[in-house]
Amino acid sequence: MTLDVGVIGTGMIGQDHIRRLADVLSGARVAAVTDVDTDRARTVADGLSDVRVHPTGQDLIADPGVDAVVVTSWGPTHEQYVLAAIAAGKQVFCEKPLATTREACERIVDAEVAAGRRLVMVGFMRRYDEQYRAMKEVVTSGEIGAPLLMHAAHRNPSVPDHFTSEMIITDSTVHDIDVARWVLGEEIAAVRVLKPRVSSKARPGFNDPLLVLLEMGSGVLVDVEASVNAGFAYDIRGEVVGEDGTVELTESAGVLTKQRGRWSGRVPATWKERFARAFDTEFQAWVDAVAAGGTTGPSAWDGYAATVVCDTGLEALRTGERVPVVLRQRPDLYKEQ
Ligand code: NAP
């Protein structure tokens, strides 16, 4: 059976996922698209065969020829489409963020709990990266003993002019927040944000880099160095320090060159290059799970927790204080993960 997928939002990542569905993955095809910019949606559809263009996301979700929905529109629009997909009983893959406010995420969690089954997967693709998966396996196996600390760095070469210090937390660090919860298998209890010396490459008034400190429920401390004007490359680092050893991400797969007394290797230029395979694996896992009648991966609860931690981080950035994370009780639907 081929899964007929409808895509809401044909911007940058929407087009990338459409390419993935059309050319890379098996078991799915793009059946319909929509975008607030209808011309853009039409241009994308013209490059494929037999794709319907709908005027709105609601029309696309109601299309009986759409089996499952991908939401890749602008963050503040995610809630309405995810809720509509749940109401229609259709599986939905939503790019991060699940929604941009705690309340919106709670409405999604409530709707899914009322539906009595998981219908939502959130696009935290790092969980499908081979290195992060190997790191989680080592931590979960107990090989390095009880985790004590986690160090992470998220160095982005550059960002567009509309990017703000707040977005370092909501758009970049959000991935490290999800990774910390997933690798360590526990919730984040409090957040602090420190502001080191500002990079001369940052715009005036822009705090870059930031040091985000996540305090896990058990007391494990996670430090995330986040910068978005690093210039040289897209550099992602991670290390968990346990009582009996450590586990860390290595330099990305590739060759090591030795020449004239020095060795060197390639650092990815962009997030698209660094996580290309993770995106493919993530999407194939979703397609396979939906074809089998369910879903998989990061849940609406994970999307909710990430948004709440980001909100808490924004308050910590504003106040300079340690701010506790307040989550509601985790519903039974999300207990087995
Ligand atoms: P983008 O290029 O701006 O694309 C968003 C598209 O959605 C645009 O075509 C936009 O049209 C359209 N849109 C806006 N409101 C809409 C609505 N109500 N209904 C239908 N379409 C609407 O943004 P992007 O970079 O692709 O990001 C899209 C989402 O993916 C964001 O939530 C982002 O955080 C997420 N993302 C995730 C990752 C990751 O690492 N997992 C990476 C990149 C992006 P206009 O341009 O006309 O507004």
Side-chain angles (χ1 to χ4, degrees), residues 7-292:
V7 180
I8 301 175
T10 53
M12 189 268 297
I13 202 148
Q15 289 183 35
D16 201 39
H17 289 336
I18 286 169
R19 174 195 60 77
R20 193 162 274 119
L21 285 162
D23 302 337
V24 182
L25 309 183
S26 58
R29 65 177 285 273
V30 180
V33 295
T34 186
D35 195 287
V36 73
D37 179 345
T38 316
D39 288 342
R40 183 182 295 153
R42 211 160 273 133
T43 305
V44 169
D46 285 347
L48 302 161
S49 73
D50 196 19
V51 176
R52 292 179 292 288
V53 178
H54 286 289
T56 69
Q58 273 76 13
D59 292 314
L60 179 143
I61 292 163
D63 180 344
V66 167
D67 300 323
V69 178
V70 169
V71 177
T72 44
S73 50
W74 192 45
T77 67
H78 291 183
E79 178 194 4
Q80 55 174 312
Y81 300 131
V82 173
L83 285 175
I86 294 171
K90 293 188 180 182
Q91 290 290 344
V92 53
F93 175 95
C94 179
E95 256 311 337
K96 63 90 189 159
L98 173 63
T100 47
T101 66
R102 165 198 292 270
E103 292 76 19
C105 291
E106 287 181 354
R107 286 190 284 273
I108 291 170
V109 165
D110 287 343
E112 201 177 33
V113 168
R117 64 190 174 113
R118 277 197 54 194
L119 289 153
V120 181
M121 174 170 168
V122 183
F124 286 123
M125 77 297 180
R126 287 193 187 186
R127 295 190 185 202
Y128 293 90
D129 176 72
E130 282 172 17
Q131 288 198 25
Y132 276 116
R133 289 179 88 85
M135 171 185 266
K136 180 174 169 61
E137 252 176 62
V138 169
V139 171
T140 310
S141 72
E143 226 177 298
I144 60 163
L148 304 171
L149 291 157
M150 184 170 182
H151 307 297
H154 189 138
R155 301 176 187 137
N156 214 319
S158 62
V159 283
D161 284 346
H162 70 268
F163 211 91
T164 61
S165 306
E166 287 73 19
M167 288 168 77
I168 298 181
I169 294 174
T170 57
D171 271 49
S172 301
T173 312
V174 63
H175 287 291
D176 302 278
I177 286 168
D178 182 64
V179 160
R181 293 182 61 251
W182 175 68
V183 168
L184 298 169
E186 57 174 328
E187 296 294 358
I188 295 165
V191 185
R192 261 174 292 187
V193 180
L194 303 179
K195 301 175 192 170
R197 176 180 164 188
V198 176
S199 164
S200 65
K201 293 184 193 151
R203 288 194 316 275
F206 196 134
N207 280 111
D208 179 36
L210 294 178
L211 192 59
V212 181
L213 293 174
L214 308 172
E215 206 179 288
M216 307 306 291
S218 65
V220 175
L221 283 185
V222 180
D223 58 88
V224 185
E225 171 213 311
S227 62
V228 295
N229 290 287
F232 66 95
Y234 181 76
D235 189 28
I236 296 300
R237 329 249 358 128
E239 179 181 23
V240 178
V241 180
E243 288 180 357
D244 301 321
T246 67
V247 56
E248 65 184 289
L249 308 179
T250 53
E251 295 299 341
S252 55
V255 291
L256 191 67
T257 306
K258 294 180 182 171
Q259 194 198 26
R260 294 185 190 170
R262 302 177 74 86
W263 57 263
S264 64
R266 181 172 167 73
V267 188
T270 64
W271 56 269
K272 269 193 179 172
E273 180 185 342
R274 171 64 181 83
F275 289 112
R277 287 184 64 183
F279 278 116
D280 291 348
T281 312
E282 168 195 54
F283 244 77
Q284 188 67 63
W286 180 69
V287 167
D288 293 347
V290 174

